[in-house]
PDB file of all heavy atoms in Angstrom:
ATOM      1  N   THR A  14      89.137 122.060  58.676  1.00 97.00           N
ATOM      2  CA  THR A  14      88.210 121.016  59.120  1.00 97.00           C
ATOM      3  C   THR A  14      88.970 119.848  59.744  1.00 97.00           C
ATOM      4  O   THR A  14      90.033 119.449  59.267  1.00 97.00           O
ATOM      5  CB  THR A  14      87.359 120.493  57.948  1.00 97.00           C
ATOM      6  OG1 THR A  14      86.631 121.572  57.374  1.00 97.00           O
ATOM      7  CG2 THR A  14      86.383 119.426  58.425  1.00 97.00           C
ATOM      8  N   ALA A  25      88.698 116.391  80.782  1.00 98.00           N
ATOM      9  CA  ALA A  25      87.662 115.864  79.887  1.00 98.00           C
ATOM     10  C   ALA A  25      88.075 116.019  78.435  1.00 98.00           C
ATOM     11  O   ALA A  25      87.950 115.082  77.628  1.00 98.00           O
ATOM     12  CB  ALA A  25      86.336 116.585  80.146  1.00 98.00           C
ATOM     13  N   LYS A  45      90.876 128.395  75.277  1.00 97.00           N
ATOM     14  CA  LYS A  45      90.762 129.851  75.402  1.00 97.00           C
ATOM     15  C   LYS A  45      92.009 130.479  76.018  1.00 97.00           C
ATOM     16  O   LYS A  45      92.462 131.548  75.601  1.00 97.00           O
ATOM     17  CB  LYS A  45      89.537 130.203  76.247  1.00 97.00           C
ATOM     18  CG  LYS A  45      89.344 131.686  76.517  1.00 97.00           C
ATOM     19  CD  LYS A  45      88.090 131.944  77.330  1.00 97.00           C
ATOM     20  CE  LYS A  45      88.229 131.467  78.759  1.00 97.00           C
ATOM     21  NZ  LYS A  45      87.077 131.878  79.600  1.00 97.00           N
ATOM     22  N   ARG A  74      80.581  96.226  91.351  1.00 97.00           N
ATOM     23  CA  ARG A  74      79.562  97.114  90.814  1.00 97.00           C
ATOM     24  C   ARG A  74      78.402  97.251  91.789  1.00 97.00           C
ATOM     25  O   ARG A  74      77.864  98.355  91.992  1.00 97.00           O
ATOM     26  CB  ARG A  74      79.064  96.592  89.466  1.00 97.00           C
ATOM     27  CG  ARG A  74      78.104  97.529  88.746  1.00 97.00           C
ATOM     28  CD  ARG A  74      77.579  96.924  87.453  1.00 97.00           C
ATOM     29  NE  ARG A  74      76.892  97.908  86.641  1.00 97.00           N
ATOM     30  CZ  ARG A  74      75.635  98.316  86.836  1.00 97.00           C
ATOM     31  NH1 ARG A  74      74.925  97.794  87.836  1.00 97.00           N
ATOM     32  NH2 ARG A  74      75.083  99.226  86.043  1.00 97.00           N
ATOM     33  N   GLU A  75      78.011  96.148  92.403  1.00 97.00           N
ATOM     34  CA  GLU A  75      76.893  96.162  93.342  1.00 97.00           C
ATOM     35  C   GLU A  75      77.196  97.048  94.549  1.00 97.00           C
ATOM     36  O   GLU A  75      76.339  97.808  95.018  1.00 97.00           O
ATOM     37  CB  GLU A  75      76.579  94.739  93.805  1.00 97.00           C
ATOM     38  CG  GLU A  75      76.003  93.820  92.725  1.00 97.00           C
ATOM     39  CD  GLU A  75      77.035  93.431  91.668  1.00 97.00           C
ATOM     40  OE1 GLU A  75      78.255  93.394  92.010  1.00 97.00           O
ATOM     41  OE2 GLU A  75      76.640  93.185  90.499  1.00 97.00           O
ATOM     42  N   TYR A  80      76.485 102.206  97.434  1.00 98.00           N
ATOM     43  CA  TYR A  80      77.012 103.443  98.019  1.00 98.00           C
ATOM     44  C   TYR A  80      76.380 104.670  97.371  1.00 98.00           C
ATOM     45  O   TYR A  80      75.900 105.587  98.061  1.00 98.00           O
ATOM     46  CB  TYR A  80      78.531 103.473  97.872  1.00 98.00           C
ATOM     47  CG  TYR A  80      79.163 104.772  98.323  1.00 98.00           C
ATOM     48  CD1 TYR A  80      79.140 105.152  99.664  1.00 98.00           C
ATOM     49  CD2 TYR A  80      79.772 105.637  97.409  1.00 98.00           C
ATOM     50  CE1 TYR A  80      79.720 106.345 100.078  1.00 98.00           C
ATOM     51  CE2 TYR A  80      80.357 106.825  97.810  1.00 98.00           C
ATOM     52  CZ  TYR A  80      80.327 107.176  99.156  1.00 98.00           C
ATOM     53  OH  TYR A  80      80.897 108.361  99.576  1.00 98.00           O
ATOM     54  N   VAL A  84      74.002 107.936  98.934  1.00 96.00           N
ATOM     55  CA  VAL A  84      74.526 109.292  99.105  1.00 96.00           C
ATOM     56  C   VAL A  84      73.945 110.311  98.125  1.00 96.00           C
ATOM     57  O   VAL A  84      74.022 111.518  98.378  1.00 96.00           O
ATOM     58  CB  VAL A  84      76.069 109.312  98.996  1.00 96.00           C
ATOM     59  CG1 VAL A  84      76.682 108.452 100.081  1.00 96.00           C
ATOM     60  CG2 VAL A  84      76.554 108.879  97.622  1.00 96.00           C
ATOM     61  N   VAL A 117      96.801 103.752  93.475  1.00 96.00           N
ATOM     62  CA  VAL A 117      95.630 103.731  94.340  1.00 96.00           C
ATOM     63  C   VAL A 117      95.939 104.511  95.614  1.00 96.00           C
ATOM     64  O   VAL A 117      96.953 104.276  96.272  1.00 96.00           O
ATOM     65  CB  VAL A 117      95.218 102.290  94.690  1.00 96.00           C
ATOM     66  CG1 VAL A 117      94.002 102.291  95.617  1.00 96.00           C
ATOM     67  CG2 VAL A 117      94.925 101.505  93.421  1.00 96.00           C
ATOM     68  N   ALA A 132      87.764 102.917 101.007  1.00 96.00           N
ATOM     69  CA  ALA A 132      88.871 103.875 101.109  1.00 96.00           C
ATOM     70  C   ALA A 132      89.953 103.574 100.087  1.00 96.00           C
ATOM     71  O   ALA A 132      91.138 103.763 100.351  1.00 96.00           O
ATOM     72  CB  ALA A 132      89.456 103.858 102.516  1.00 96.00           C
ATOM     73  N   ARG A 134      89.123 104.034  96.355  1.00 97.00           N
ATOM     74  CA  ARG A 134      88.536 104.322  95.047  1.00 97.00           C
ATOM     75  C   ARG A 134      89.146 105.546  94.362  1.00 97.00           C
ATOM     76  O   ARG A 134      88.781 105.852  93.229  1.00 97.00           O
ATOM     77  CB  ARG A 134      87.019 104.523  95.202  1.00 97.00           C
ATOM     78  CG  ARG A 134      86.284 103.220  95.489  1.00 97.00           C
ATOM     79  CD  ARG A 134      84.846 103.450  95.874  1.00 97.00           C
ATOM     80  NE  ARG A 134      84.129 102.186  95.947  1.00 97.00           N
ATOM     81  CZ  ARG A 134      82.992 101.993  96.643  1.00 97.00           C
ATOM     82  NH1 ARG A 134      82.472 103.014  97.319  1.00 97.00           N
ATOM     83  NH2 ARG A 134      82.403 100.827  96.657  1.00 97.00           N
ATOM     84  N   ARG A 160      99.477 128.072  96.321  1.00 76.00           N
ATOM     85  CA  ARG A 160      99.137 127.340  97.541  1.00 76.00           C
ATOM     86  C   ARG A 160      99.568 125.880  97.484  1.00 76.00           C
ATOM     87  O   ARG A 160      99.632 125.212  98.516  1.00 76.00           O
ATOM     88  CB  ARG A 160      97.628 127.420  97.801  1.00 76.00           C
ATOM     89  CG  ARG A 160      96.751 126.836  96.708  1.00 76.00           C
ATOM     90  CD  ARG A 160      95.276 126.912  97.085  1.00 76.00           C
ATOM     91  NE  ARG A 160      94.401 126.468  96.012  1.00 76.00           N
ATOM     92  CZ  ARG A 160      93.776 127.290  95.169  1.00 76.00           C
ATOM     93  NH1 ARG A 160      93.944 128.578  95.267  1.00 76.00           N
ATOM     94  NH2 ARG A 160      92.983 126.804  94.235  1.00 76.00           N
ATOM     95  N   VAL A 242      78.450 126.036  64.850  1.00 98.00           N
ATOM     96  CA  VAL A 242      78.039 126.074  63.444  1.00 98.00           C
ATOM     97  C   VAL A 242      77.092 124.902  63.211  1.00 98.00           C
ATOM     98  O   VAL A 242      77.416 123.755  63.549  1.00 98.00           O
ATOM     99  CB  VAL A 242      79.254 125.981  62.503  1.00 98.00           C
ATOM    100  CG1 VAL A 242      78.802 125.935  61.052  1.00 98.00           C
ATOM    101  CG2 VAL A 242      80.202 127.159  62.744  1.00 98.00           C
ATOM    102  N   GLN A 345      92.534 127.817  99.639  1.00 95.00           N
ATOM    103  CA  GLN A 345      91.626 126.781 100.106  1.00 95.00           C
ATOM    104  C   GLN A 345      91.855 126.520 101.597  1.00 95.00           C
ATOM    105  O   GLN A 345      92.978 126.619 102.087  1.00 95.00           O
ATOM    106  CB  GLN A 345      91.845 125.482  99.320  1.00 95.00           C
ATOM    107  CG  GLN A 345      91.493 125.595  97.852  1.00 95.00           C
ATOM    108  CD  GLN A 345      91.774 124.328  97.085  1.00 95.00           C
ATOM    109  OE1 GLN A 345      92.302 123.356  97.629  1.00 95.00           O
ATOM    110  NE2 GLN A 345      91.449 124.317  95.808  1.00 95.00           N
ATOM    111  N   ALA A 346      90.779 126.195 102.287  1.00 96.00           N
ATOM    112  CA  ALA A 346      90.861 125.861 103.707  1.00 96.00           C
ATOM    113  C   ALA A 346      90.130 124.546 103.965  1.00 96.00           C
ATOM    114  O   ALA A 346      89.533 124.345 105.015  1.00 96.00           O
ATOM    115  CB  ALA A 346      90.268 126.986 104.553  1.00 96.00           C
ATOM    116  N   PHE A 375      80.665 120.656 103.682  1.00 98.00           N
ATOM    117  CA  PHE A 375      80.838 121.880 104.468  1.00 98.00           C
ATOM    118  C   PHE A 375      80.189 123.053 103.741  1.00 98.00           C
ATOM    119  O   PHE A 375      79.461 123.847 104.336  1.00 98.00           O
ATOM    120  CB  PHE A 375      82.337 122.140 104.679  1.00 98.00           C
ATOM    121  CG  PHE A 375      82.650 123.267 105.632  1.00 98.00           C
ATOM    122  CD1 PHE A 375      82.991 122.995 106.943  1.00 98.00           C
ATOM    123  CD2 PHE A 375      82.604 124.591 105.215  1.00 98.00           C
ATOM    124  CE1 PHE A 375      83.289 124.033 107.832  1.00 98.00           C
ATOM    125  CE2 PHE A 375      82.885 125.638 106.090  1.00 98.00           C
ATOM    126  CZ  PHE A 375      83.231 125.351 107.408  1.00 98.00           C
ATOM    127  N   LYS A 385      68.818 129.611 106.310  1.00 98.00           N
ATOM    128  CA  LYS A 385      68.087 129.513 107.576  1.00 98.00           C
ATOM    129  C   LYS A 385      68.260 130.751 108.439  1.00 98.00           C
ATOM    130  O   LYS A 385      67.275 131.262 109.013  1.00 98.00           O
ATOM    131  CB  LYS A 385      68.561 128.273 108.345  1.00 98.00           C
ATOM    132  CG  LYS A 385      67.930 128.095 109.714  1.00 98.00           C
ATOM    133  CD  LYS A 385      68.491 126.858 110.409  1.00 98.00           C
ATOM    134  CE  LYS A 385      67.940 126.710 111.811  1.00 98.00           C
ATOM    135  NZ  LYS A 385      68.529 125.520 112.513  1.00 98.00           N
ATOM    136  N   ALA A 388      73.096 134.396 108.343  1.00 98.00           N
ATOM    137  CA  ALA A 388      74.312 134.789 109.065  1.00 98.00           C
ATOM    138  C   ALA A 388      75.499 133.890 108.716  1.00 98.00           C
ATOM    139  O   ALA A 388      76.341 133.606 109.565  1.00 98.00           O
ATOM    140  CB  ALA A 388      74.055 134.761 110.574  1.00 98.00           C
ATOM    141  N   THR A 434      91.772 137.468 124.433  1.00 98.00           N
ATOM    142  CA  THR A 434      90.686 136.677 125.007  1.00 98.00           C
ATOM    143  C   THR A 434      89.639 136.394 123.943  1.00 98.00           C
ATOM    144  O   THR A 434      89.556 137.094 122.918  1.00 98.00           O
ATOM    145  CB  THR A 434      89.997 137.415 126.178  1.00 98.00           C
ATOM    146  OG1 THR A 434      89.310 138.567 125.657  1.00 98.00           O
ATOM    147  CG2 THR A 434      91.020 137.846 127.232  1.00 98.00           C
ATOM    148  N   ALA A 448      77.498 134.021 122.709  1.00 98.00           N
ATOM    149  CA  ALA A 448      77.355 132.866 121.815  1.00 98.00           C
ATOM    150  C   ALA A 448      78.718 132.274 121.465  1.00 98.00           C
ATOM    151  O   ALA A 448      78.888 131.049 121.476  1.00 98.00           O
ATOM    152  CB  ALA A 448      76.614 133.277 120.546  1.00 98.00           C
ATOM    153  N   ASN A 457      85.635 122.868 124.089  1.00 98.00           N
ATOM    154  CA  ASN A 457      86.623 122.482 125.095  1.00 98.00           C
ATOM    155  C   ASN A 457      86.148 121.273 125.897  1.00 98.00           C
ATOM    156  O   ASN A 457      86.948 120.387 126.245  1.00 98.00           O
ATOM    157  CB  ASN A 457      86.916 123.662 126.028  1.00 98.00           C
ATOM    158  CG  ASN A 457      87.628 124.805 125.313  1.00 98.00           C
ATOM    159  OD1 ASN A 457      88.105 124.628 124.188  1.00 98.00           O
ATOM    160  ND2 ASN A 457      87.693 125.964 125.954  1.00 98.00           N
ATOM    161  N   GLY A 463      86.104 113.565 124.014  1.00 98.00           N
ATOM    162  CA  GLY A 463      86.345 112.951 122.710  1.00 98.00           C
ATOM    163  C   GLY A 463      85.093 112.764 121.884  1.00 98.00           C
ATOM    164  O   GLY A 463      85.139 112.146 120.812  1.00 98.00           O
ATOM    165  N   VAL A 464      83.973 113.282 122.355  1.00 98.00           N
ATOM    166  CA  VAL A 464      82.690 113.102 121.663  1.00 98.00           C
ATOM    167  C   VAL A 464      82.044 114.462 121.405  1.00 98.00           C
ATOM    168  O   VAL A 464      81.906 115.277 122.324  1.00 98.00           O
ATOM    169  CB  VAL A 464      81.730 112.226 122.495  1.00 98.00           C
ATOM    170  CG1 VAL A 464      80.382 112.103 121.789  1.00 98.00           C
ATOM    171  CG2 VAL A 464      82.335 110.857 122.738  1.00 98.00           C
ATOM    172  N   ARG A 470      81.854 115.436 115.135  1.00 98.00           N
ATOM    173  CA  ARG A 470      83.186 115.720 114.566  1.00 98.00           C
ATOM    174  C   ARG A 470      84.222 114.707 115.068  1.00 98.00           C
ATOM    175  O   ARG A 470      84.328 114.448 116.264  1.00 98.00           O
ATOM    176  CB  ARG A 470      83.597 117.138 114.945  1.00 98.00           C
ATOM    177  CG  ARG A 470      84.994 117.552 114.518  1.00 98.00           C
ATOM    178  CD  ARG A 470      85.123 119.058 114.655  1.00 98.00           C
ATOM    179  NE  ARG A 470      86.491 119.532 114.744  1.00 98.00           N
ATOM    180  CZ  ARG A 470      86.830 120.818 114.805  1.00 98.00           C
ATOM    181  NH1 ARG A 470      85.879 121.746 114.800  1.00 98.00           N
ATOM    182  NH2 ARG A 470      88.089 121.197 114.885  1.00 98.00           N
ATOM    183  N   ILE A 503      85.732 132.748 106.474  1.00 98.00           N
ATOM    184  CA  ILE A 503      85.718 131.635 105.521  1.00 98.00           C
ATOM    185  C   ILE A 503      84.554 131.828 104.556  1.00 98.00           C
ATOM    186  O   ILE A 503      83.392 131.947 104.970  1.00 98.00           O
ATOM    187  CB  ILE A 503      85.576 130.281 106.245  1.00 98.00           C
ATOM    188  CG1 ILE A 503      86.769 130.043 107.183  1.00 98.00           C
ATOM    189  CG2 ILE A 503      85.422 129.141 105.245  1.00 98.00           C
ATOM    190  CD1 ILE A 503      88.101 129.879 106.481  1.00 98.00           C
ATOM    191  N   ASP A 517      73.272 112.786  78.022  1.00 98.00           N
ATOM    192  CA  ASP A 517      72.758 111.452  78.293  1.00 98.00           C
ATOM    193  C   ASP A 517      73.910 110.501  78.600  1.00 98.00           C
ATOM    194  O   ASP A 517      75.062 110.925  78.779  1.00 98.00           O
ATOM    195  CB  ASP A 517      71.894 110.953  77.126  1.00 98.00           C
ATOM    196  CG  ASP A 517      72.680 110.762  75.828  1.00 98.00           C
ATOM    197  OD1 ASP A 517      73.924 110.867  75.827  1.00 98.00           O
ATOM    198  OD2 ASP A 517      72.036 110.495  74.790  1.00 98.00           O
ATOM    199  N   GLY A 541      76.252 118.494  83.150  1.00 97.00           N
ATOM    200  CA  GLY A 541      75.756 118.017  84.425  1.00 97.00           C
ATOM    201  C   GLY A 541      76.501 116.763  84.856  1.00 97.00           C
ATOM    202  O   GLY A 541      76.725 115.855  84.049  1.00 97.00           O
ATOM    203  N   ASN A 575      84.744 104.556  62.690  1.00 70.00           N
ATOM    204  CA  ASN A 575      86.184 104.477  62.949  1.00 70.00           C
ATOM    205  C   ASN A 575      86.535 103.730  64.230  1.00 70.00           C
ATOM    206  O   ASN A 575      87.690 103.672  64.603  1.00 70.00           O
ATOM    207  CB  ASN A 575      86.784 105.890  63.055  1.00 70.00           C
ATOM    208  CG  ASN A 575      87.045 106.507  61.701  1.00 70.00           C
ATOM    209  OD1 ASN A 575      86.142 106.550  60.874  1.00 70.00           O
ATOM    210  ND2 ASN A 575      88.258 106.961  61.469  1.00 70.00           N
TER     211      ASN A 575
END
Side-chain angles (χ1 to χ4, degrees):
T14 301
K45 177 179 70 172
R74 186 183 192 280
E75 292 71 28
Y80 174 67
V84 299
V117 179
R134 288 170 172 158
R160 60 178 175 262
V242 176
Q345 295 177 356
F375 188 99
K385 177 181 176 182
T434 67
N457 293 348
V464 177
R470 176 166 159 177
I503 298 294
D517 65 8
N575 279 53

